[in-house]
Amino acid sequence: GPGPTACLSVGSASAFSRTAPPYQLLHSAPRPGRFRFGYARSSAVGPGCAVLDQAFARYWRLLRYAGPRAPGEGPEAAGAPWIYLTVCLLPAGLETFSQLIWRDEDGTFYLNKTDIVDFPRFAHRGLLLDTSRHYLPLRAILETLDVMAYNKFNVFHWHIVDDPSFPYESAAFPELSRKGAYNPATHVYTLNDVKLVIEYARLRGIRVISEFDTPGHTLSWGPGAPGLLTPCYAGSIPSGAYGPVNPILNTTYQFMTELFREVSTVFPDFYLHLGGDEVDFTCWRSNPKIQAFMQWMGFGQDYAKLESFYIQRLLNIVSSYGKGYVVWQEVFDNGVKVKPDTIIHVWRENAGPYQQEVARVTKAGYRALLSAPWYLNRISYGQDWQAAYQVEPLEFEGSPEQKALVIGGEACMWGEFVDVTNLTPRLWPRAGAIAERLWSNKTVRDLQDAYIRLADFRCTLLRRGIPAQPLFTGYCDAEYSGF
Amino acid sequence: GPGPTACLSVGSASAFSRTAPPYQLLHSAPRPGRFRFGYARSSAVGPGCAVLDQAFARYWRLLRYAGPRAPGEGPEAAGAPWIYLTVCLLPAGLETFSQLIWRDEDGTFYLNKTDIVDFPRFAHRGLLLDTSRHYLPLRAILETLDVMAYNKFNVFHWHIVDDPSFPYESAAFPELSRKGAYNPATHVYTLNDVKLVIEYARLRGIRVISEFDTPGHTLSWGPGAPGLLTPCYAGSIPSGAYGPVNPILNTTYQFMTELFREVSTVFPDFYLHLGGDEVDFTCWRSNPKIQAFMQWMGFGQDYAKLESFYIQRLLNIVSSYGKGYVVWQEVFDNGVKVKPDTIIHVWRENAGPYQQEVARVTKAGYRALLSAPWYLNRISYGQDWQAAYQVEPLEFEGSPEQKALVIGGEACMWGEFVDVTNLTPRLWPRAGAIAERLWSNKTVRDLQDAYIRLADFRCTLLRRGIPAQPLFTGYCDAEYSGF
């Protein structure tokens, strides 16, 4: 199959006691009655690899929440009371392992003899959080990263700023959050906060892709960046309102050069998400200077050309910092010239079937990232995880080469109606359905099976202290107790 | 207007310090700089009235969460630093008072000179919780009662058992929960639990109406009550499945006599909710003994007559305990003979406009309770509180006498998709829109005004530690911190 090959093999059917915290790495031979995570001889890394060391420690703690044996889970395991655990892909491998463990009432852990060859179908398995429409406290983001790892998501798409607020504390432009955050003292992410999120994610095998969406969705930037936004006109007079970023001023590009220099450094991932969606041309159209610029450039009345003009200059800036970029589909739709390795993020539901857009994007040779059917903020009554689960990302008319250009997808939780009070139950386990679609084989799609797995996994989340909401009527042996 | 007249008058514009915990009642003259709740001379009750004493104590504590002054809330209050607070309707009056208070940064509380004459439009302002589809831990119920009081709801409709589980621990029939609860050790309400809920509610001005729904919705009763449910047949052989309560056996009525004797004692409210909704006739039809009974009774093929036969006997049993009853609308629709003071609970959305049902019920002289437009479990994307708010309960064709028979309504939170993980944010502030509709004048219905009030009140709930979800994009000065 596609994607990186990974393996997790458990050497011996085993019963073992988790008797000896604090956790130690296995450097010597395993002792009877004890369990240790250890580096396999074939492992490419060894002790000192922070991601692995800390994942061992984390999953050592999580073992305490192993569930009871499920009915029909076979006879109790016999054999040597120790195991070899060889993990090549991390920390998803440890998560797989932790989900196979169960324990009896006296606290002994059991694991059936197991060989696992498990690898993701898609390389990009993302989740978008929106911290502009509502501020999410750091703890909520960190908890989400925990649960993302449990679900084997590996990209946190941080839609950090937007029209309503600008919570990112910029070193280069501190006025942006000082005047654009809901509250510059309490509703901001400091540089330390951002670094903490990135490191916390890294240790869980999660990349952080930031999105500073322009030229639309920037109203909150205005107060802290005078001259950046387009003044809208009512007839021949400025109306006092502002529109998208003003694309005709050199100062705009000087500003973007500085801002994205900082963003490129603060967020180490190769990719930046540059937005580019939903640019409303009304304000641009109203502004006489922009009208004059359009004429001078020969754009006629085609404001998509002006948008392209802006985006191309922005892409050049970001490219100069050695970064790749993800953009929302409008950038492609409007014919902006982008680099061949650009990722086009397909999100629109109302512009015809999204499958056709994926076909167009990949036919043009670009990589596609799918979110259109996975807007988790759009809630409806009943088991709406099923529709998300039944999506088949490669179900579009296209060549094998085109299919190979679909790098994965992202679940999106836009923030209009979501903040720390309801984020977690609204995300989980619904996002888990998308995670499985992006991880598992195409053939794994039976709804009844998935229900059983997801309901069981939801009980695991409750045991781990995560208030994941119920899929349907029923109960867990251990209900949510963090209340 | 209709409803009990109530008053809350604040004697003097005032600034006062909340300097002297522990709270004391005002029995002597108020001292400068201090604030005390006290009994007014005109009060019908005095110290020793537990509801009032404890409400004073509770709101004394809640004052610490008073919000900052809203913009444009007038000049700072001048005048004597003490107030007279005369409260005739409780504890809703104290809630009104607490919402008028704000404080400045040094902790001084302010209150503008205020005369309040506030009373509810409808006497019955209920909220239904369903503890059968998912078990709700006691703490979740108690928290809900707190927030109900903040919203001036005054009836907790406890839909305590149903098909999926029977969490009520009956003294007369302990096998019901032993065999019908999800887990008889952890997922049950003991007699003490129930008493605690009732007393906690009483102190907050809330009645508790229990619902033991029969003859349908009783699958979980079966294992603990052999012979109670109807055996379904496949052809001439019992299929092994069970249907509604078996209405043709004397033992059924003996059982109900015992069970409702207990329920009538445990739940002191005058009213019991007896259910009676959604009786599926398929199983009754399949059973040859029931067929024979139908023939013998001359019911033909009209199984609604059999349902009526059962319900009438049940109503007689409950009446014999001196109780009144509430029933779902089907009991009325099926022509069951009920007592004149029966309350008919209108819930069906798909059986024509609910307004016509309210008209029919009241035309027949029965009192009506409205829930059809207020199923809060039915979520949808966006600000669905607005539809709930815009309902006008008396907007149906009928005489003034008919209108007077609408005693109020209930917000319903059925439990298919709700448990302790998502109950609170899903309830609040959405249920608050219904609470206002049931409390305030008919003329109070401007959506924009309501949004401002409800968004502000939601911030109050956050300060009080309740994770009420956001209505829309924005923020509160003090976000939810219980996370």
Side-chain angles (χ1 to χ4, degrees):
Chain A
T5 309
C7 56
L8 185 151
S9 69
V10 173
S12 165
S14 42
F16 58 93
S17 299
R18 189 178 168 284
T19 53
Y23 149 80
Q24 298 175 343
L25 287 180
L26 166 68
H27 295 306
S28 57
R31 277 167 290 164
R34 296 286 180 89
F35 166 70
R36 298 284 184 276
F37 289 114
Y39 289 86
R41 230 170 303 163
S42 60
S43 174
V45 295
C49 165
V51 170
L52 198 41
D53 284 355
Q54 295 202 22
F56 283 167
R58 219 162 49 237
Y59 278 94
W60 180 259
R61 288 192 300 271
L62 283 176
L63 282 183
R64 93 182 60 155
Y65 305 118
R69 185 162 54 135
E73 207 167 329
E76 296 203 356
W82 45 263
I83 67 166
Y84 290 110
L85 177 61
T86 308
V87 181
C88 308
L89 183 77
L90 282 161
L94 286 171
E95 178 59 35
T96 304
F97 170 73
S98 77
Q99 292 178 19
L100 293 169
I101 296 226
W102 45 272
R103 66 172 177 179
D104 62 16
E105 283 170 8
D106 67 11
T108 303
F109 292 81
Y110 289 87
L111 179 69
N112 285 330
K113 183 171 167 60
T114 308
D115 280 308
I116 305 166
V117 178
D118 194 14
F119 54 86
R121 182 177 175 207
F122 293 102
H124 189 121
R125 304 179 305 283
L127 175 66
L128 176 149
L129 292 185
D130 166 7
T131 56
S132 173
R133 290 177 177 83
H134 286 98
Y135 178 78
L136 293 172
L138 203 59
R139 276 185 62 189
I141 296 177
L142 301 183
E143 180 187 278
T144 301
L145 290 167
D146 278 331
V147 194
M148 284 175 68
Y150 302 158
N151 284 271
K152 303 182 185 176
F153 278 109
N154 68 346
V155 178
F156 168 37
H157 175 169
W158 193 350
H159 187 88
I160 192 167
V161 298
D162 203 300
D163 284 327
S165 77
F166 195 103
Y168 172 77
E169 268 194 14
S170 165
F173 300 101
E175 294 298 304
L176 287 172
S177 61
R178 210 169 283 157
K179 296 184 176 166
Y182 282 138
N183 182 322
T186 55
H187 289 61
V188 288
Y189 303 105
T190 66
L191 181 59
N192 273 343
D193 291 340
V194 171
K195 284 185 170 167
L196 180 61
V197 166
I198 292 168
E199 177 64 4
Y200 198 91
R202 188 182 75 86
L203 290 172
R204 282 154 185 78
I206 297 170
R207 300 158 49 202
V208 178
I209 296 184
S210 70
E211 179 183 357
F212 288 77
D213 190 357
T214 66
H217 289 281
T218 48
L219 274 185
S220 69
W221 304 38
L228 180 67
L229 302 187
T230 306
C232 315
Y233 276 67
S236 59
I237 311 161
S239 71
Y242 289 90
V245 161
N246 192 331
I248 68 170
L249 302 178
N250 280 335
T251 49
T252 290
Y253 300 99
Q254 289 160 5
F255 175 91
M256 294 298 169
T257 300
E258 286 308 306
L259 180 70
F260 280 99
R261 188 202 313 279
E262 173 181 331
V263 169
S264 298
T265 309
V266 170
F267 293 90
D269 197 84
F270 177 66
Y271 285 99
L272 299 178
H273 202 301
L274 298 177
D277 58 319
E278 297 184 310
V279 183
D280 181 353
F281 297 147
T282 316
C283 183
W284 280 352
R285 270 199 207 98
S286 77
N287 183 302
K289 287 182 185 161
I290 290 192
Q291 291 163 7
F293 185 81
M294 291 283 289
Q295 203 156 14
W296 188 73
M297 294 291 287
F299 289 166
Q301 289 302 307
D302 188 355
Y303 283 84
K305 287 187 174 151
L306 182 60
E307 180 187 353
S308 297
F309 172 84
Y310 167 82
I311 294 274
Q312 284 182 355
R313 296 187 70 170
L314 179 67
L315 298 185
N316 290 340
I317 291 167
V318 171
S319 294
S320 75
Y321 298 129
K323 291 284 186 175
Y325 38 78
V326 190
V327 290
W328 296 110
Q329 71 176 74
E330 286 95 323
V331 173
F332 168 79
D333 296 344
N334 289 344
V336 177
K337 189 182 164 190
V338 296
K339 286 191 298 184
D341 65 347
T342 299
I343 297 169
I344 308 295
H345 201 159
V346 175
W347 72 276
R348 296 187 69 187
E349 288 180 298
N350 307 327
Y354 65 82
Q355 292 91 339
Q356 295 181 7
E357 177 77 1
V358 175
R360 282 190 295 268
V361 165
T362 53
K363 187 151 200 176
Y366 297 111
R367 285 178 293 167
L369 184 60
L370 186 62
S371 280
W374 289 328
Y375 268 36
L376 290 176
N377 51 305
R378 296 203 161 269
I379 55 171
S380 59
Y381 189 61
Q383 300 205 42
D384 61 0
W385 67 272
Q386 297 182 332
Y389 184 74
Q390 288 181 295
V391 169
E392 170 42 55
L394 301 189
E395 198 172 67
F396 61 90
E397 279 187 44
S399 65
E401 290 73 22
Q402 279 178 262
K403 308 281 168 119
L405 286 170
V406 178
I407 62 166
E410 287 187 359
C412 297
M413 185 57 87
W414 296 98
E416 282 87 348
F417 305 103
V418 174
D419 74 359
V420 64
T421 61
N422 58 353
L423 173 68
T424 302
R426 195 164 285 193
L427 263 182
W428 313 110
R430 292 165 75 222
I434 300 165
E436 177 164 303
R437 175 57 50 234
L438 291 169
W439 180 281
S440 295
N441 267 341
K442 180 179 177 173
T443 54
V444 180
R445 54 183 303 110
D446 183 85
L447 273 183
Q448 202 51 40
D449 287 353
Y451 177 86
I452 292 167
R453 272 196 307 281
L454 204 54
D456 181 68
F457 181 57
R458 185 237 166 194
C459 292
T460 299
L461 292 180
L462 296 189
R463 288 196 302 272
R464 292 178 181 183
I466 306 300
Q469 74 184 10
L471 292 173
F472 194 50
T473 300
Y475 71 107
C476 294
D477 286 322
E479 300 285 2
Y480 178 61
S481 60
F483 173 71
Chain B
T5 309
C7 56
L8 186 151
S9 69
V10 174
S12 165
S14 43
F16 58 92
S17 299
R18 189 180 168 283
T19 53
Y23 149 81
Q24 299 174 342
L25 288 181
L26 167 65
H27 295 306
S28 56
R31 277 167 290 164
R34 297 288 180 89
F35 167 69
R36 299 282 184 280
F37 288 114
Y39 290 86
R41 230 170 302 163
S42 61
S43 175
V45 294
C49 165
V51 171
L52 197 41
D53 284 354
Q54 296 201 22
F56 283 167
R58 219 162 49 237
Y59 278 94
W60 180 258
R61 289 191 300 271
L62 282 176
L63 281 183
R64 92 182 61 158
Y65 305 119
R69 186 164 50 138
E73 207 166 329
E76 297 202 358
W82 45 264
I83 67 167
Y84 289 111
L85 178 61
T86 307
V87 181
C88 309
L89 184 77
L90 282 160
L94 286 170
E95 178 59 36
T96 304
F97 169 74
S98 77
Q99 292 179 19
L100 293 170
I101 294 225
W102 44 274
R103 65 172 178 181
D104 63 17
E105 284 170 8
D106 67 11
T108 303
F109 292 81
Y110 289 87
L111 179 70
N112 285 330
K113 183 171 167 60
T114 309
D115 279 305
I116 305 164
V117 178
D118 195 14
F119 54 85
R121 181 177 175 210
F122 292 103
H124 189 122
R125 304 179 305 281
L127 175 66
L128 176 150
L129 292 185
D130 166 7
T131 56
S132 174
R133 291 178 176 82
H134 286 97
Y135 178 79
L136 293 172
L138 203 59
R139 276 185 61 188
I141 296 176
L142 301 184
E143 181 187 278
T144 301
L145 290 167
D146 278 331
V147 193
M148 284 175 68
Y150 302 159
N151 284 269
K152 304 183 186 175
F153 278 109
N154 68 346
V155 178
F156 169 38
H157 175 169
W158 193 351
H159 187 88
I160 191 166
V161 298
D162 203 300
D163 284 329
S165 78
F166 195 102
Y168 172 77
E169 268 194 13
S170 164
F173 301 102
E175 294 299 302
L176 288 172
S177 61
R178 211 171 279 157
K179 297 185 174 166
Y182 283 138
N183 182 322
T186 55
H187 289 60
V188 288
Y189 304 104
T190 65
L191 181 59
N192 273 343
D193 291 340
V194 172
K195 284 185 173 169
L196 181 60
V197 166
I198 293 168
E199 178 64 5
Y200 198 91
R202 187 182 75 87
L203 291 172
R204 283 154 184 79
I206 297 170
R207 299 157 48 201
V208 179
I209 296 184
S210 70
E211 179 183 357
F212 288 78
D213 190 358
T214 66
H217 289 281
T218 49
L219 274 185
S220 69
W221 304 38
L228 180 68
L229 302 186
T230 306
C232 314
Y233 277 67
S236 60
I237 311 160
S239 71
Y242 289 90
V245 162
N246 192 330
I248 70 169
L249 302 179
N250 280 334
T251 50
T252 290
Y253 301 98
Q254 288 159 7
F255 174 92
M256 294 299 169
T257 300
E258 286 308 305
L259 180 69
F260 280 98
R261 187 202 314 277
E262 173 181 332
V263 169
S264 299
T265 309
V266 169
F267 293 90
D269 198 83
F270 176 65
Y271 284 99
L272 298 179
H273 201 302
L274 297 177
D277 58 319
E278 297 186 310
V279 182
D280 182 353
F281 298 147
T282 317
C283 184
W284 280 352
R285 271 198 206 98
S286 77
N287 183 303
K289 286 182 188 160
I290 289 191
Q291 291 162 8
F293 184 83
M294 291 283 289
Q295 204 156 13
W296 188 73
M297 294 291 288
F299 289 166
Q301 290 301 307
D302 188 355
Y303 283 83
K305 286 187 176 152
L306 183 58
E307 180 187 354
S308 297
F309 172 83
Y310 167 81
I311 294 274
Q312 285 183 352
R313 294 188 69 171
L314 179 66
L315 297 185
N316 290 339
I317 290 168
V318 171
S319 295
S320 77
Y321 298 130
K323 291 283 187 177
Y325 38 78
V326 189
V327 290
W328 296 109
Q329 71 177 73
E330 287 95 323
V331 173
F332 167 79
D333 296 345
N334 290 342
V336 177
K337 188 182 163 190
V338 296
K339 284 192 298 184
D341 64 348
T342 300
I343 297 169
I344 309 296
H345 200 160
V346 175
W347 72 276
R348 297 188 69 187
E349 286 180 299
N350 307 326
Y354 64 82
Q355 293 90 341
Q356 294 179 7
E357 178 76 1
V358 175
R360 280 190 296 268
V361 165
T362 53
K363 186 150 200 177
Y366 297 111
R367 283 178 295 167
L369 184 60
L370 186 62
S371 280
W374 289 327
Y375 268 37
L376 289 176
N377 52 304
R378 296 205 159 265
I379 54 172
S380 60
Y381 189 61
Q383 300 205 42
D384 62 358
W385 68 272
Q386 297 182 332
Y389 185 74
Q390 289 180 295
V391 169
E392 170 42 54
L394 301 190
E395 197 172 69
F396 62 90
E397 280 187 42
S399 64
E401 290 72 25
Q402 279 178 262
K403 309 279 167 120
L405 286 169
V406 178
I407 62 167
E410 287 188 0
C412 295
M413 184 57 87
W414 295 98
E416 283 86 348
F417 305 103
V418 174
D419 74 358
V420 65
T421 62
N422 58 354
L423 173 68
T424 302
R426 195 163 285 193
L427 263 182
W428 314 109
R430 292 165 76 224
I434 300 165
E436 176 162 304
R437 175 56 50 235
L438 292 170
W439 180 280
S440 295
N441 266 341
K442 179 178 177 174
T443 54
V444 180
R445 54 184 303 110
D446 183 84
L447 273 183
Q448 202 52 41
D449 287 353
Y451 177 86
I452 293 167
R453 272 197 306 282
L454 203 54
D456 181 68
F457 182 56
R458 184 237 168 194
C459 292
T460 300
L461 292 180
L462 296 189
R463 288 196 302 273
R464 293 179 181 183
I466 306 300
Q469 73 184 9
L471 291 173
F472 195 49
T473 300
Y475 71 107
C476 293
D477 287 320
E479 300 285 3
Y480 179 61
S481 60
F483 174 69

